Amino acid sequence: MRKLLYCVIGAMLIAVNANAMDLSLQDAVDKIVAESNDVKKADANVKKAKAQLSSVNANRWFSIDANLTYMNLIDPKNPTSGQGIAIPSEVGAMLAAVTQGQMTQIPPIPDNMFGAGVQITQPIYTFGKIGNAVDAVHDAIDMSASAKDLTLREVKYAAANLYWTAKMTDEIVAASEKNLNNARAAKKKLTAAGRANRSNLIKIESDIATKEIDLSDAQFNRDTAYRMLKIMAGIDETEDIVLTDNFPDKFEVLDVKELKSNPQWDIYQKQIKMYESNARSKRAGGYPTLAAVAAYDYYSLATDAKSLFDKEGSQSAYWGLALKVPLFSGGLHSANATMEAMNAEAARQELDKSKKLVRQEYNTAVKKYKHLCDNLDKLNEAHKLAQKAYDVSVNRFAAGQTSAIELSDVSSALYHMDMALLNAKYNILMAKESVKKLGE
């Protein structure tokens, strides 16, 4: 009956695994990158920088301004009157004299006025105000692209960390189950041999209880790691996944070269150029601006709003060149240029510091990878010896030649060696990911 139950449970587990999603390391990285808010934010910053370029470039081209005005003049002495405003007699006499007696009485000024006009301005030369501003935005676009590249590397590294952490918890659960099963098998052999003494039974029962807790903790950590991986990859938490990439037994030698470029360095370099271009643009704000201008205006007067367009109004138009010369700004342009220049100097210092730190981090990752790979062979040999010691101890225990205490110590040593080997492989893989993150 028990064998039938085990068969049924095994068949159910196989059916569940058959419906599970296979997830390789590359699949996990792609999904996490696609779901990453940081990557989406970096992409939005690139688009924002490109939009700023369009905004600054617009200053190169002509601008057209139109205006429409309508006014109704009011006589302060009689606001409700619909008539035009009368001219005082003294002013009328003076105007009549100017016109050499052609009119002795000036008619009232029409109180309805309509005007329309359009003006076109085309910058011709700005002494670098616009050109340097455009160069600064180009540098900002390149800077945002490098920032996106840096973000992608960080997200890919984090994705690999999530994947291998989840995979390691799988291995820890398997090792914990093996460790617990070994203790239960030892108890079974002890009781089956009919030689179970009190001290041996107590020791084995204590080991079993401890290893059950270890297994429970390992399962909890595995569930937590899987849950985090699913969340970051955009996978439903109720969906079962199978991590198809395994920890390798051997690791290749890394083909690394001297670190000469890094997205973080690119960001600082573009930032320096951007600030320098901004400084030149701010300084040019104190220089003249030459522009071509043209305008057309139309206006009409009438004592009645309905009559504004009954007769032909007046028109005027002009074109020419305009030179705008700033005379005094209280040192504003020079101060703004100095601030941008100091920003460039600060970025230059950050670049120098970043080169030192990133090179050190990169070289450390390369050395760590090689160091751990060199130690892996020794760990594998130590693991084989621990397994052999355990097998010998099990045989001696079965023959009644050793105690449960010795068997427990040997079993614990094997378990810790399993953890050490697993941890070493994880650290090697993450060291490799660090080299990729910093050096590609």
Side-chain angles (χ1 to χ4, degrees), residues 29 32-46 147-156:
V29 170
I32 291 174
V33 168
E35 290 290 325
S36 173
N37 297 107
D38 292 332
V39 173
K40 293 176 182 178
K41 181 179 177 181
D43 188 57
N45 287 335
V46 174
K148 181 181 177 181
D149 184 18
L150 182 62
T151 301
L152 276 171
R153 294 186 183 205
E154 294 288 350
V155 171
K156 289 179 178 180

Side-chain angles (χ1 to χ4, degrees), residues 53 91 166 199 334:
L53 177 62
V91 177
S199 61
S334 177

Side-chain angles (χ1 to χ4, degrees), residues 394-435:
V394 167
N395 292 332
R396 292 182 62 201
F397 182 78
Q401 298 174 354
T402 187
S403 66
I405 295 176
E406 179 186 331
L407 180 63
S408 175
D409 290 341
V410 175
S411 176
S412 178
L414 176 60
Y415 177 75
H416 286 109
M417 188 54 63
D418 286 337
M419 295 299 101
L421 187 59
L422 180 61
N423 192 57
K425 291 181 178 181
Y426 168 80
N427 287 331
I428 291 173
L429 288 171
M430 294 316 300
K432 182 179 180 181
E433 292 295 331
S434 293
V435 174

Side-chain angles (χ1 to χ4, degrees), residues 120-138:
I120 302 176
T121 304
Q122 170 63 58
I124 296 177
Y125 193 68
T126 62
F127 292 89
K129 283 193 289 289
I130 297 177
N132 284 302
V134 171
D135 291 341
V137 176
H138 277 295

